[in-house]
């Protein structure tokens, strides 16, 4: 993979988010050796403290910009000579989209189109659009999502992601844009914002707080370690075929209740902490991914199994109480001003 990135400047959008921060770290590593421009608006989900270990890397630059504002996006392309784009910036939490959907449309749909427009104008050579398995909707007890499964999104979040997928598809068919789309299952691992299932449950259990399980807890998700996802994204960025979609999955389907019980067991906590709460409206029952295409065409397969991944993730959250506390208190939002203050207008 390494030679593919030599001399490439990659614009990573959403690089201050959970998955983006892992991709930034991987692209800067000697295995890839890319130059990285991290474009992020620093919404509540953007946390530059997750990138402290690479922020002084000579090949790394951070730019605060909002992808839904065309002029801000354009300026980034004017200021930097960008070869490839890895587009991850998005509003990503289903529960938030149920409460208030419009920012999901603005960032995920309009933001994607703004990036596609600039990528065309500035002749970007590759554009990786990072999407989600949720665009396919919900499965019954059998079967898996294939790249050809019809889109049937059920939440405002997944509808906004499906809309952005269609704009990416249109850019390929209309303008011959060098786009490739990935659709991934649920990620977990270090630096995940503690509003998502696994970090929320770890964080609550560590404080002996109740663990809120939606509905009957039998909804199924396919869990993928975030480092495996970053590897898959780099693989598709380097070798994916323009116009194609690649599903990415972890081969780790589990009911939510099973995951929660595994976490409690590993933490030595009682199952009495589990609290069944009102279900998420429109809650998708089951996701499962057939990731045969990326395996057969590009040679990528997940390397983490769930038991090892959860054990390492628990260890990371136990060792990173400061990071968690600064997220919960909101202190992480001051980091940009303290580190990049001299660049503020
Ligand atoms: P995240 O919420 O942790 O991070 C999103 C990042 O995007 C944040 O840094 C935020 O500041 C930034 N952002 C949001 N709106 C922006 C805007 N208008 N302009 C610029 N930056 C903006 O998300 P994540 O979990 O890392 O997900 C990254 C991508 O991967 C998303 O596109 C998501 O749909 C997709 N995805 C996530 C998962 C998962 O399990 N987390 C699975 C499949 C696909
Ligand atoms: O499938 C990929 C998607 O995975 C990504 O596109 C999304 O960005 C990402 O947020 C994730 O969506 P989910 O809705 O599946 O993830 P979440 O962690 O919110 O919930 C996972 C499951 O756990 C889901 O069935 C709802 C349930 N849940 C979640 C929370 C936060 C609970 O039972 N209790 C909770 O408190």
């Amino acid at each position: 993979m390494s030679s593919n990135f030599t001399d490439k400047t990659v614009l990573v959008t959403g690089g201050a988010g959970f998955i983006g921060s892992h991709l930034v770290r991987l692209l800067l590593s000697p295995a890839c050796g890319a130059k990285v421009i991290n474009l992020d608006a620093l919404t509540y989900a953007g946390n530059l403290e997750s990138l402290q270990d690479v922020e002084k890397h000579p090949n790394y630059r951070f730019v605060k910009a909002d992808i839904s504002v065309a002029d801000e996006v354009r300026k980034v392309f004017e200021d930097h000579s960008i070869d490839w784009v890895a587009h991850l910036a998005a509003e990503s939490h289903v529960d938030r989209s149920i409460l208030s959907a419009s920012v999901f449309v603005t960032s995920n749909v309009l933001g994607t189109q703004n990036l596609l427009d600039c990528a065309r104008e500035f002749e970007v050579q590759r554009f990786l659009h990072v999407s989600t398995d949720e665009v396919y909707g919900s499965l019954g007890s059998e079967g898996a999502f294939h790249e050809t499964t019809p889109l049937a999104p059920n939440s405002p979040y997944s509808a906004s992601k499906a809309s952005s997928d269609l704009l990416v598809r249109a850019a390929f068919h209309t303008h011959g844009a060098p786009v490739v789309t990935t659709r991934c299952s649920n990620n977990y691992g270090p630096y995940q914002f503690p509003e998502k299932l696994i970090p929320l449950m770890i964080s609550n259990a560590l404080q002996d707080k109740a663990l809120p399980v939606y509905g009957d807890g039998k909804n199924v998700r396919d869990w993928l370690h975030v480092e495996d996802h970053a590897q898959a994204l780099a693989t598709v960025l380097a070798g994916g075929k323009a116009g194609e979609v690649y599903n990415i999955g972890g081969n780790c389907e589990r009911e939510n209740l099973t995951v929660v019980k595994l976490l409690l067991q590993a933490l030595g906590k009682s199952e009495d902490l589990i609290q069944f709460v009102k279900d998420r409206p429109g809650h998708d029952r089951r996701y499962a991914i057939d990731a045969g295409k990326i395996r057969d065409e590009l040679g990528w397969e997940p390397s983490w199994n769930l038991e090892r991944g959860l054990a390492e993730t628990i260890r990371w959250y136990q060792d990173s109480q400061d990071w968690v506390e600064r997220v919960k208190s909101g202190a992480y939002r001051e980091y940009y001003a303290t580190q990049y203050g001299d660049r503020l207008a």
Side-chain angles (χ1 to χ4, degrees):
M1 193 199 301
S2 53
S3 60
N4 293 315
F5 287 95
T6 309
D7 298 329
K8 297 291 182 231
T9 298
V10 183
L11 176 71
V12 177
T13 73
F18 166 49
I19 300 167
S21 67
H22 286 272
L23 181 63
V24 166
R25 196 172 288 107
L26 175 63
L27 293 176
L28 288 171
S29 73
C32 294
K35 292 191 178 67
V36 174
I37 313 292
N38 174 10
L39 181 170
D40 199 295
L42 299 183
T43 68
Y44 80 93
N47 187 348
L48 288 176
E49 294 186 358
S50 306
L51 285 167
Q52 283 184 76
D53 55 327
V54 296
E55 68 188 4
K56 300 220 163 20
H57 194 294
N59 288 344
Y60 173 73
R61 284 291 306 275
F62 173 73
V63 184
K64 186 170 185 294
D66 185 335
I67 56 168
S68 67
V69 180
D71 288 349
E72 291 189 18
V73 178
R74 196 159 203 292
K75 181 153 179 15
V76 179
F77 282 81
E78 281 168 354
D79 290 351
H80 304 275
S81 180
I82 291 158
D83 299 303
W84 297 353
V85 172
H87 172 37
L88 292 88
E91 290 292 333
S92 72
H93 192 40
V94 174
D95 291 331
R96 285 179 187 258
S97 79
I98 292 166
L99 293 173
S100 177
S102 58
V103 69
F104 284 74
V105 178
T106 312
S107 288
N108 301 1
V109 186
L110 179 60
T112 298
Q113 187 59 47
N114 285 338
L115 285 162
L116 288 167
D117 288 344
C118 280
R120 185 155 77 96
E121 182 181 344
F122 290 86
E123 297 180 353
V124 161
Q125 297 149 26
R126 287 181 198 176
F127 188 106
L128 167 64
H129 174 62
V130 178
S131 189
T132 170
D133 61 359
E134 298 201 13
V135 298
Y136 297 123
S138 185
L139 290 165
S141 55
E142 299 289 320
F145 298 131
H146 301 263
E147 286 82 359
T148 51
T149 301
L151 303 190
N154 290 320
S155 73
Y157 161 69
S158 54
S160 70
K161 292 295 288 187
S163 306
S164 65
D165 289 17
L166 295 181
L167 291 170
V168 170
R169 176 188 154 88
F172 175 73
H173 285 276
T174 308
H175 301 297
V179 290
V180 59
T181 296
T182 55
R183 296 187 180 133
C184 185
S185 62
N186 286 59
N187 284 216
Y188 69 98
Y191 299 111
Q192 188 168 29
F193 198 87
E195 65 182 352
K196 305 281 169 76
L197 181 75
I198 287 178
L200 177 72
M201 298 296 159
I202 295 173
S203 156
N204 281 14
L206 285 172
Q207 295 182 298
D208 293 310
K209 285 187 182 167
L211 273 51
V213 173
Y214 298 164
D216 62 4
K218 291 189 185 302
N219 301 69
V220 174
R221 296 293 183 265
D222 168 27
W223 294 98
L224 176 72
H225 193 279
V226 65
E227 288 176 8
D228 275 336
H229 190 194
Q231 287 285 349
L233 295 178
T235 301
V236 175
L237 188 56
K241 192 165 165 244
E244 294 291 315
V245 174
Y246 296 89
N247 283 350
I248 303 170
N251 293 332
C252 281
E253 274 186 62
R254 299 285 190 284
E255 289 184 352
N256 293 338
L257 197 53
T258 305
V259 172
V260 171
K261 286 182 178 175
L262 279 172
L263 291 171
L264 286 170
Q265 195 180 19
L267 285 159
K269 300 284 183 177
S270 163
E271 290 185 6
D272 292 345
L273 287 175
I274 294 172
Q275 188 177 11
F276 289 95
V277 298
K278 193 166 176 286
D279 208 355
R280 171 186 280 174
H283 197 174
D284 284 339
R285 192 63 170 170
R286 176 171 164 263
Y287 304 143
I289 282 275
D290 180 331
K293 180 174 173 180
I294 187 173
R295 180 194 63 224
D296 296 346
E297 292 186 14
L298 301 177
W300 175 88
E301 281 189 281
S303 64
W304 289 77
N305 68 50
L306 189 63
E307 285 65 28
R308 180 167 76 94
L310 288 183
E312 293 283 318
T313 302
I314 287 173
R315 192 165 308 129
W316 186 87
Y317 278 91
Q318 282 172 323
D319 294 346
S320 308
Q321 289 294 311
D322 275 3
W323 184 90
V324 176
E325 281 317 309
R326 287 176 63 76
V327 168
K328 285 186 170 171
S329 71
Y332 73 107
R333 306 204 71 172
E334 307 302 319
Y335 189 77
Y336 173 69
T338 55
Q339 295 300 308
Y340 293 82
D342 56 337
R343 293 191 212 155
L344 293 172

